Amino acid sequence: MARPTPELIDALRRTAANLKNGAHYQWGHMGGCNCGNLAQELTKLSKDQIHRYAMQRHGDWNEQAEDYCSTSQMPIDVIINEMLSAGLTLEDLKHLEKLDDRQVLLHFPLEKRHLKHNVRDDVVAYMRTWADLLEDQLLQKITLPTFDELVLS
């Protein structure tokens, strides 16, 4: 599961909002699919740039994640590296394309867990839920001193 970072949580929420508000969505387009839309937010590249870079190597996001090499300097690997730096894992990319991360799906009501990976509204719901889950994890890591600790110091 992704490392909860403010940057990633914000990017997931902005991506979900963009999709909700009509941003280009095409599951078969490397720059306009689930991962492609998130990559746009994290890298500030256009959908066409992301697609063009991805097409320099074979495969969808799942295969791109499998073939990822942190030192290759291929443009798609540079994009993936930026996404990983924001807190994602290679497994997260695979799960995002299929909307099938079990930890995320467990936060949906039982009757709503069967998301379709290429349906815009399902992608929006998945990203929003994932962002909320990551935010909860981030907040659990924060500890503030109590009043007594401050007074005694």
Side-chain angles (χ1 to χ4, degrees):
M1 171 64 70
R3 189 171 28 90
T5 66
E7 177 187 12
L8 178 56
I9 294 164
D10 183 52
L12 284 165
R13 288 191 173 133
R14 282 185 287 124
T15 303
N18 291 343
L19 288 168
K20 185 77 174 166
N21 291 327
H24 175 83
Y25 180 74
Q26 181 183 350
W27 191 77
H29 187 281
M30 292 292 291
C33 59
N34 306 353
C35 285
N37 272 284
L38 182 57
Q40 288 178 54
E41 279 300 317
L42 289 170
T43 66
K44 303 307 178 204
L45 294 171
S46 73
K47 67 177 175 55
D48 293 328
Q49 288 172 303
I50 294 166
H51 184 77
R52 188 171 52 254
Y53 294 155
M55 292 294 101
Q56 292 177 12
R57 193 165 61 204
H58 73 283
D60 60 13
W61 277 96
N62 188 62
E63 292 166 308
Q64 298 285 1
E66 287 290 330
D67 294 340
Y68 167 73
C69 174
S70 63
T71 59
S72 80
Q73 293 306 305
M74 283 193 72
I76 190 64
D77 287 337
V78 173
I79 290 169
I80 292 173
N81 195 50
E82 278 191 62
M83 296 174 82
L84 300 179
S85 294
L88 292 166
T89 68
L90 293 173
E91 289 303 309
D92 291 325
L93 296 178
K94 296 175 188 179
H95 288 306
L96 177 55
E97 262 320 279
K98 298 291 186 184
L99 305 182
D100 67 359
D101 186 296
R102 186 166 166 69
Q103 290 180 55
V104 175
L105 293 174
L106 287 173
H107 287 80
F108 282 89
L110 188 59
E111 67 277 4
K112 297 200 179 203
R113 288 185 190 166
H114 300 289
L115 302 177
K116 293 194 182 340
H117 65 276
N118 58 352
V119 173
R120 176 190 300 264
D121 289 341
D122 286 354
V123 178
V124 169
Y126 185 92
M127 286 188 181
R128 290 178 67 195
T129 300
W130 191 13
D132 290 346
L133 173 64
L134 291 173
E135 182 179 48
D136 289 345
Q137 291 174 359
L138 183 63
L139 292 174
Q140 287 175 9
K141 292 181 177 185
I142 297 172
T143 55
L144 299 173
T146 65
F147 175 78
D148 291 337
E149 290 171 331
L150 291 173
V151 171
L152 297 174
S153 58

